[in-house]
Every structure is written in C-alpha cells, then in structure tokens.
Amino acid sequence: MALRGTNQEFGRPYNRRIVLEAIRLGGPLARGEIARRVGLTVQTVSTIVRELEEQRYILSARELPRGRGLPASTLRINPDGGYAIGVHVTPLGIDAALINLSGDVIGSVRRKAPHASPDHAFDLIAAMLPELRAQRPDGRVLGIGMALPGPFGVDSMSFVGPTTMTGWTGVDLKKRLAEASGLAAFIETDMVAAAFGEQLYGYGTQLSEYYYLYFGYGLGGAMVHEGDVMRGVHGNAGEIGHIPVVPEGEPCPCGNRGCLERYVSLEAFHRRGRGEEEWIAEVAPIYRNAIVTIENLFDPETVVIGGLAPASLLERLASEARSLPNSVSARRNRPHPRIMVARGGGQSVLRGAAALAVSGALSPRFGQMFATPQERLDPLQTHKGVAA
C-alpha cells in the first residue's frame, strides 16, 4: 500500500496520519526513511514525529554506537498508545475484545444470546464494555467497531434467514453502537472485518492479491487487492454465499434455491449433524467448484480460508486443494498453495472489527474511505480519539 503525504494547505492532519501509518506498518524506521517513503521533507516528518511522541502514539529508540557518531534513532508504534474495542454479533451471541495498536487482544468477553433483538444486543454490548475497559482503565480508547453478518441494504436479503440477524432491518446500527459505547463507532460486515484483520495482522504482510473466504455461520468473502479490501459500491462485494450452485436445490431465505451457503457454512454443517469428515466428503464437489469460481473471477495469489470454523475443519477444507479442478490458478511453480488457512484464528473478526476503529482514526486511506465528514476531524488532537 503506497502512502504519500501532501503539501496542500489542509493536509497537516492527513500527513500526521500518513507518518503514523508508515511507522505502524514498517517500523522501526528512522526519520529519513519515513520521509523517503511518504514523500515529505525530513523537517516536516520530524515535526510530526515530535507531536506523535508527545501524544504517546510512537516510541523512539537508539541503538548502541558501533563506530564514530551516534546512530539515528528509530521509531515504532507504541502498542499501549491506544486501544480499540471490537464487537462481533452473530445469531449465536456477542463477542467483544479490547485490542491494542499492535493488534494484541488484551481481554475478551462473550455473551450467549441466540438471535438477540437489537435492543437486547445493544444492552448487552453496553454492559460488556466496562469489563473490557477495566483491563486498561487509563488507556486511550480510539473507538469501537462492530461486525455482523451481511449483506447490508438489500431488502430481500439483509437480516433475513438463520445465518444473519433476523429482525434487525431498519436499525441505525452506527448510531445505536455510538450511543451504547460513547465512542466513535464503525460498522462492517463480518467477512470484510475478517479480511481487514487478516490484511493487517496475518498474510497481508506477505500477499497483496488474495481472496479471503470467510467461513462463518454463513459464507462470504472479500478480495484483497493491492492491500485494500474491495467492498463494492454498497459494501457487499464478496457475498458468494448467495450464488446459486445447485439447480432446484434447497430453498434459501433470500428467495433463491441452491445457494452455496445452504451447503457450505457452519449453519449447514450443524444442520446436517454429521462429523467433519463425512460432511466434507458430502459437500466437497460444491466447495471445490466454489474455489475454482473464485480463482477464475479474481486470479488471486491464493484463497485464504478463515472465520469461525474450528481449526480442524479449516485444515480439512484447505487440504481439498490437492484435488481442485483446473482453473487459472492451476499454475506450475506457484509460490503459495491454492488454499491457505488464515492466521487470525477464531478472533480474526474481533481483531478486524477493532482495526476498523483504529484505522478510522489513524489510517489515512481507510479513514477517508469510511468516515463521515464529522469523523474526519483529526482524532489525534483529542485524548480518547473521539471526534468532537
């Protein structure tokens, strides 16, 4: 992801985010290297660095001298310079975690709440937050991100059926989350949140063009292109769970028949009540065809499979790469397998949801893409990162 500063008159807050993001992604870095990477002068970078050090977002260190002169000091993100709260709402319940700037989970809580109503869910979230904030009572909380099953804004598909939050239609999610938490709030589908978390804390350090297949209670995914998660015009790109794959197949709550997630998802796995090996043998042809479709559509470096499924199930699904049909990805001398298991584990969505809030406050590209004009006010000037 290319990070470039600006010399425009209004660009000072943007440059501050650019410098911080460069340090977060590439640190430890010297001032001169930061200036080279973001296209700003060393003097401008030094001024910004001084501010960021005063605000405790970054830490400076100097190596021991190895010859004449002092080595340049290097800068890295301060893991405890800020925190964010990630929330994941599913048809089974609510998970929440406090996460620092390095993506470490400081503490997490869970509440069982099958098919919770919006009022019940937001009451639970409000009650969970003090327990999380008590983990770092003096910590600066930048915001809160919530992930839940999509798609959003589609009358016939949003909040309909067993794999999503039935009955949540018409709820102002962002407003309710902000009211429940008192923090700057960010909302995203669980599949995008998981992909974003993987990009920041998983294979995103090695890959720039890959498809993240989110295996949750439903099934979805997102293409990561040049380090950015592709969202589509309405934020619903990657809803492959509703691709019809079996003609005249099982009815789906979306109104179609034979949709992919009716066969390949945790809901489908639990509904059939079979062991992992037996279930995979049954759905393997449908699953393999889905992988080939993804490959032919996006030509990714690999398909990264992750989400809420147990690690053993994900590993079994990844092993199906040995018998995948032909596609544009069936190339000799591949540097990566066609399917890889995500590194984020069961907390990928929570880390991604928290990263929504961190990036909304600190990342120039992400913040400008997702924030409202009011939220684009510079949060680095406030103690808790809440736009005033």
Side-chain angles (χ1 to χ4, degrees):
M1 181 173 69
L3 296 170
R4 305 299 292 177
T6 176
N7 293 316
Q8 298 294 325
E9 188 174 325
F10 58 81
R12 191 164 175 267
Y14 181 83
N15 287 341
R16 194 158 44 243
R17 290 186 176 97
I18 282 284
V19 170
L20 185 60
E21 185 75 346
I23 296 170
R24 189 175 68 84
L25 293 174
L29 294 172
R31 289 168 176 79
E33 177 61 17
I34 297 169
R36 186 189 67 80
R37 292 191 181 194
V38 304
L40 296 171
T41 66
V42 174
Q43 181 179 355
T44 297
V45 168
S46 296
T47 300
I48 292 172
V49 162
R50 184 168 59 250
E51 294 174 354
L52 294 177
E53 284 185 294
E54 291 173 354
Q55 295 161 358
R56 299 181 291 106
Y57 282 106
I58 60 175
L59 300 172
S60 176
R62 193 186 300 272
E63 295 182 1
L64 294 175
R66 297 182 181 178
R68 294 183 177 179
L70 290 174
S73 61
T74 58
L75 302 151
R76 62 181 177 86
I77 202 74
N78 178 9
D80 298 319
Y83 303 86
I85 293 170
V87 178
H88 187 199
V89 181
T90 77
L92 302 178
I94 301 171
D95 291 272
L98 181 71
I99 295 173
N100 69 12
L101 291 185
S102 293
D104 302 317
V105 176
I106 305 303
S108 61
V109 291
R110 170 177 293 180
R111 297 289 186 271
K112 290 183 178 180
H115 302 286
S117 68
D119 287 344
H120 184 40
F122 285 109
D123 284 346
L124 286 176
I125 291 170
M128 296 162 79
L129 296 185
E131 185 176 343
L132 290 174
R133 300 189 72 157
Q135 300 285 328
R136 295 291 188 274
D138 297 323
R140 170 172 45 195
V141 180
L142 298 171
I144 184 170
M146 185 172 79
L148 68 167
F152 295 162
V154 183
D155 292 342
S156 61
M157 299 173 68
S158 298
F159 308 122
V160 174
T163 63
T164 186
M165 301 304 296
T166 304
W168 283 48
T169 303
V171 178
D172 189 335
L173 299 172
K174 192 171 184 179
K175 179 181 178 182
R176 293 292 302 272
L177 183 62
E179 291 174 346
S181 64
L183 298 167
F186 299 82
I187 305 292
E188 193 47 273
T189 63
D190 47 13
M191 63 186 187
V192 170
F196 186 55
E198 186 69 22
Q199 176 61 20
L200 290 177
Y201 308 119
Y203 283 117
T205 58
Q206 301 176 18
L207 306 170
S208 61
E209 301 280 342
Y210 63 95
Y211 190 90
Y212 186 96
L213 182 61
Y214 177 72
F215 197 100
Y217 207 58
L219 187 76
M223 182 66 195
V224 178
H225 170 63
E226 295 183 351
D228 288 333
V229 179
M230 297 175 64
R231 301 176 68 253
V233 66
H234 298 298
N236 292 318
E239 276 290 349
I240 65 166
H242 288 289
I243 294 178
V245 294
V246 178
E248 300 304 316
E250 291 189 19
C252 181
C254 76
N256 295 329
R257 299 184 69 94
C259 287
L260 179 60
E261 76 172 22
R262 297 298 292 164
Y263 304 89
V264 183
S265 65
L266 280 181
E267 189 275 336
F269 173 63
H270 293 151
R271 175 162 39 86
R272 280 168 167 75
R274 299 178 182 177
E276 289 182 3
E277 191 168 343
E278 184 181 2
W279 177 75
I280 290 177
E282 177 186 344
V283 302
I286 298 173
Y287 165 73
R288 286 195 288 261
N289 286 341
I291 296 295
V292 169
T293 299
I294 291 169
E295 291 175 334
N296 284 333
L297 282 173
F298 297 105
D299 191 20
E301 295 174 81
T302 186
V303 175
V304 176
I305 181 170
L308 301 181
S312 60
L313 185 55
L314 293 176
E315 292 289 349
R316 287 179 180 272
L317 289 168
S319 70
E320 290 294 314
R322 293 192 297 266
S323 54
L324 285 174
N326 194 24
S327 82
V328 298
S329 292
R331 309 170 68 91
R332 293 189 298 272
N333 302 320
R334 287 180 55 88
H336 307 286
R338 288 169 69 177
I339 304 176
M340 300 167 65
V341 176
R343 290 176 170 174
Q347 293 179 317
S348 60
V349 180
L350 285 174
R351 296 174 82 194
L356 299 175
V358 172
S359 291
L362 306 183
S363 169
R365 289 180 69 176
F366 188 94
Q368 294 301 307
M369 183 186 303
F370 289 90
T372 65
Q374 178 66 15
E375 291 160 346
R376 289 174 187 157
L377 296 175
D378 186 14
L380 301 185
Q381 296 298 317
T382 64
H383 176 66
K384 293 189 177 181
V386 181

